[in-house]
Amino acid sequence: MKEKYAIGIDVGGTNTKFGVVNRKGEILIQDRIKTNEKENVEGFIDVLAEKLQPMIDQFGGPEAFVGIGMGAPNANYYQGTIEYAANLKWKGIIPMAEILEEKFKIPAKLTNDANAAAVGEMQYGVAKGMKNFITITLGTGVGSGIIIDGKIVLGHNGFAGELGHVIVRNGGRPHKGTGLNGSLEAYASATGVRDTAIEFLQANPDAQSLLSSFTIDELTSETVFKCAEQGDKLANEIFEFTGQVLGEALATFVLFSAPEAIVLFGGLTKAGDLIMKPTRQAMEDNLLQVFKNQVKIIFSDLKEADAAILGASALVW
């Protein structure tokens, strides 16, 4: 019997990564495109097809594939749709599974991007063998995948586990995409770190900080990280604050699912101990005694692109 393949597609707020995966969980070929380069979903699919169709042809055409799995923000597993995604240009309800099947002539399934990362982590990463854990993706936004008793939590409508939109600061910072005030994503994402940097600089106009030499347009979470690495006091305070907010939120999440571990994943984890230390401290400070020192916080050891592609592809086997 000829070997079959799956396609994994990870739609992030900035980049969309995709690849061909075999049954063993090996990514045989992969690439990426900009997610929001085109104004509408049709333009996005055309750009995706330019790079993905040759991969499909290379591995034997549509009949060689068991399916396409896609992880995307606000993806509804039951309906195969992306619905009102805050960080994407495509508004309303997008029948993505149907669009993919029509374009590539391969069956398609969708799930939340962070759910896909959690499945990838459970099958191939640091959570292999774990039955109860939470994955938190710290990228352009904050996503989450919750595994309880070895199963991904979807809820009755497929949207369970939107922990990035939990309110962590009542009446706090507005989120441009959702209109909510004080959500975790507004603080603990790469975008949130940038916004915190702007706020801290505006509140301390005379601060002797390396960050002061950058324009607002030049400020990014990576800029803050590089300044913090050089010992910049204000940049370090930004990570302390971000970790405090994230750790408090994680303590709340521990209370409802008692996970063995929380796996942090995504671009912001490149900050290492700058984000990990304050996060762990704040979580432990806000846990009930029965949970203290019971829950590990660990960084994913999968390559960022690989975990989401593998998790998305695992949907179809």
Side-chain angles (χ1 to χ4, degrees):
M1 188 178 163
K2 266 185 134 181
E3 184 174 10
K4 289 280 192 177
Y5 306 100
I7 293 164
I9 304 174
D10 168 50
V11 180
T14 305
N15 295 306
T16 291
K17 303 146 197 160
F18 49 93
V20 174
V21 184
N22 66 16
R23 192 71 177 86
K24 296 179 208 163
E26 297 166 331
I27 300 174
L28 306 174
I29 186 171
Q30 64 175 290
D31 207 338
R32 63 172 61 196
I33 59 173
K34 291 288 181 192
T35 302
N36 282 321
E37 193 172 39
K38 302 293 182 183
E39 290 299 317
N40 54 48
V41 72
E42 291 79 14
F44 167 80
I45 292 293
D46 287 342
V47 175
L48 175 66
E50 281 175 25
K51 292 195 170 186
L52 182 55
Q53 190 60 55
M55 292 182 185
I56 294 169
D57 296 339
Q58 180 183 336
F59 284 88
E63 59 278 6
F65 289 83
V66 291
I68 297 171
M70 175 182 274
N74 284 44
N76 187 323
Y77 176 81
Y78 299 125
Q79 301 300 325
T81 51
I82 296 174
E83 304 184 13
Y84 311 103
N87 295 320
L88 301 180
K89 282 185 177 177
W90 330 317
K91 300 306 173 195
I93 298 175
I94 308 294
M96 185 58 86
E98 189 181 308
I99 292 170
L100 289 169
E101 287 177 1
E102 195 173 304
K103 188 74 173 178
F104 298 106
K105 312 302 180 204
I106 299 171
K109 287 185 178 179
L110 262 65
T111 193
N112 176 287
D113 49 349
N115 284 349
V119 173
E121 210 63 65
M122 182 165 58
Q123 293 195 352
Y124 311 109
V126 291
K128 197 168 185 177
M130 289 187 196
K131 298 286 190 187
N132 295 276
F133 69 95
I134 298 173
T135 296
I136 304 286
T137 61
L138 304 170
T140 309
V142 174
S144 59
I146 304 166
I147 305 286
I148 295 179
D149 296 336
K151 294 178 182 174
I152 194 84
V153 176
L154 294 168
H156 86 280
N157 66 351
F159 290 114
E162 284 290 350
L163 301 181
H165 299 302
V166 168
I167 304 304
V168 293
R169 289 289 185 273
N170 196 29
R173 185 182 294 166
H175 185 286
K176 296 175 184 70
T178 62
L180 297 174
N181 292 319
S183 65
L184 180 61
E185 184 165 287
Y187 294 94
S189 60
T191 314
V193 169
R194 177 184 182 272
D195 289 344
T196 299
I198 293 167
E199 284 179 12
F200 277 33
L201 283 166
Q202 288 172 345
N204 301 276
D206 301 323
Q208 299 295 307
S209 171
L210 296 170
L211 293 168
S212 303
S213 62
F214 295 94
T215 66
I216 283 182
D217 289 340
E218 290 170 337
L219 278 175
T220 63
S221 61
E222 196 173 349
T223 313
V224 179
F225 169 55
K226 284 178 178 170
C227 291
E229 268 195 317
Q230 294 173 61
D232 187 83
K233 185 171 180 287
L234 193 68
N236 274 278
E237 286 173 3
I238 290 163
F239 276 110
E240 285 284 336
F241 173 76
T242 305
Q244 176 75 28
V245 175
L246 178 58
E248 289 171 6
L250 296 187
T252 302
F253 304 159
V254 166
L255 290 173
F256 78 78
S257 72
E260 178 181 341
I262 295 171
V263 182
L264 301 182
F265 169 81
L268 211 55
T269 62
K270 292 185 179 76
D273 277 351
L274 287 169
I275 191 77
M276 178 64 90
K277 280 186 175 177
T279 299
R280 185 180 280 124
Q281 185 66 52
M283 185 185 84
E284 289 295 339
D285 287 348
N286 289 278
L287 284 175
L288 292 174
Q289 190 62 44
V290 71
F291 293 112
K292 283 187 185 292
N293 302 309
Q294 297 290 315
V295 182
K296 296 175 284 194
I297 306 180
I298 43 181
F299 289 141
S300 169
D301 65 356
L302 293 174
K303 287 182 189 169
E304 194 176 335
D306 289 4
I309 290 173
L310 288 170
S313 73
L315 287 172
V316 304
W317 291 114

